[in-house]
Amino acid sequence: MLPKPVIGILTWRQGQRFGEPDYLRKLVLAGQKLGAEIYLFSHQDVNMKEKKIKGFLPKAGGGWSSRWFPWPQVVIDRYRRRVPEYIRLRNSDLLFFANSPFSKKWRVTQLLAKDRRVMHWIPETHLYEKKRVATMLSKYPLVYVKPGNGSGGKSILRISAKGKEFSLSGRDKQYQTHTAKLDSVSAVENWVGRWVVEQQIADGNFLVQQGIDLGLIPNHVADVRVLIQKDQAGEWRVTGSGVRIGEAGSSTSNLHGGGRAVSFEGLIEQRFGKRQAQLITKECHSLAHEVAKTLEDYFGRMMEFGLDIGVAVDGSVWLIEVNPKPGREVFRQMGDMVTYANAIERPVQFALHLARKRQTGDVGQREQRVRV
């Protein structure tokens, strides 16, 4: 009989404060239910000399308990901060990870835009530089400026042109709303120039992207979140999808910024009718599978992706963004608790699949092809 698989979850920790504690608590409990010895740890918890790790488990009444755990056979990486200690650990050969290091949004966009399998779904995107916004506004009535290393909808700016008037709206790092109405492209360039300086995240860059008309609901931005994950057999499967609808007048659909979640199938069918809705759903799923396989070809073994997909008012489908460490709150907010539970369990199911393959010698030590 094979011993119980040991799964570690690498995350940020300061004292007993963890990044995304609610999700991590659920992830550990799901792993225990599936028969794993599973725990949270951070870079400072690794004892390389004795080959053991100080791990943390959720306590029934809240809070966390800690003790020494055996070395994990597989590690799920949920670390979201690029601190030097994490990067050194991630780039070492000490641990076997379920998910490879990923790259910044700009490099990912470049790779996808050049790959014939997926390029037809990618909006035109460039690195921000002076005059770039003006050039894009001469081609498209809607343009987005967004940080290349951001998440949660922060610091994204929406610029729409009607005749000679330009409307700008965005949320800053604190999710405060900013708006402006300007009457010249040069005024827009100056406004955006200040925005990218004030809203820069660490040493990150900004991207300028062709805007897609996502106004399926008047005066609201609505996009589709598709979660695709590896299952217990190591195969890519779409776990679920939902539509995120931004607040009235908001530049983004993010739930952090006050958006709400509704059924994808329900909204698309209501907007386009049953037959076209089925075709749109099929295309969104095809996009998710092709993007997952393509990115895995470039970066090595991956575990899950949250894809933000835009369905335009004409029914065309576009890839807006890819997140390799996605949230899954869209399903809980929709009230779809079965999909929400599946979305939490799947990373552990895949980690257990890898652990069993390692126990029988069927998987190599490293498949990663990039460094953090």
Side-chain angles (χ1 to χ4, degrees), residues 175-219:
Y175 293 110
Q176 296 298 309
T177 301
H178 298 256
T179 61
K181 287 198 180 294
L182 304 172
D183 58 8
S184 70
V185 173
S186 61
V188 172
E189 282 279 3
N190 291 335
W191 206 98
V192 173
R194 292 192 297 272
W195 178 266
V196 298
V197 170
E198 293 166 2
Q199 298 301 315
Q200 187 179 32
I201 301 170
D203 60 347
N205 50 27
F206 272 76
L207 308 180
V208 184
Q209 189 170 73
Q210 168 193 352
I212 312 300
D213 187 350
L214 303 177
L216 297 179
I217 299 171
N219 200 34

Side-chain angles (χ1 to χ4, degrees), residues 3 41 57 62 107 208 233 265 272 284 344 354:
F41 73 102
L57 296 175
R107 186 175 177 220
V208 184
E265 290 81 4
F272 295 102
C284 287
I344 291 168
L354 288 176

Side-chain angles (χ1 to χ4, degrees), residues 29-91:
L29 294 175
Q32 290 173 341
K33 190 176 82 172
L34 290 168
E37 183 165 14
I38 186 167
Y39 55 86
L40 306 181
F41 73 102
S42 195
H43 58 81
Q44 65 267 42
D45 301 319
V46 178
N47 185 327
M48 291 178 274
K49 196 173 179 182
E50 297 186 30
K51 268 288 201 179
K52 62 183 183 180
I53 291 179
K54 181 184 178 184
F56 289 78
L57 296 175
K59 292 197 287 192
W64 305 86
S65 62
S66 66
R67 63 178 174 86
W68 291 104
F69 282 87
W71 203 255
Q73 291 161 296
V74 178
V75 174
I76 297 169
D77 182 2
R78 286 296 297 189
Y79 213 111
R80 289 169 171 266
R81 303 187 185 202
R82 294 178 60 85
V83 300
E85 298 88 349
Y86 158 71
I87 292 171
R88 277 198 297 272
L89 179 63
R90 194 61 176 88
N91 288 336

Side-chain angles (χ1 to χ4, degrees), residues 51 71 88-97 358 365-368 371:
K51 268 288 201 179
W71 203 255
R88 277 198 297 272
L89 179 63
R90 194 61 176 88
N91 288 336
S92 75
D93 289 315
L94 288 168
L95 299 164
F96 181 94
F97 287 94
R358 294 200 72 204
Q365 169 62 20
R366 280 176 69 85
E367 293 178 17
Q368 292 89 341
R371 298 176 83 78

Side-chain angles (χ1 to χ4, degrees), residues 324-372:
K325 296 175 185 174
R328 48 222 79 208
E329 286 302 296
V330 63
F331 306 118
R332 189 180 63 79
Q333 291 210 11
M334 285 165 51
D336 186 352
M337 300 311 290
V338 172
T339 302
Y340 183 58
N342 287 338
I344 291 168
E345 281 192 0
R346 284 234 167 115
V348 184
Q349 290 173 341
F350 177 57
L352 287 170
H353 164 75
L354 288 176
R356 292 185 186 110
K357 288 187 75 173
R358 294 200 72 204
Q359 285 173 336
T360 56
D362 287 341
V363 66
Q365 169 62 20
R366 280 176 69 85
E367 293 178 17
Q368 292 89 341
R369 302 175 192 179
V370 298
R371 298 176 83 78
V372 176

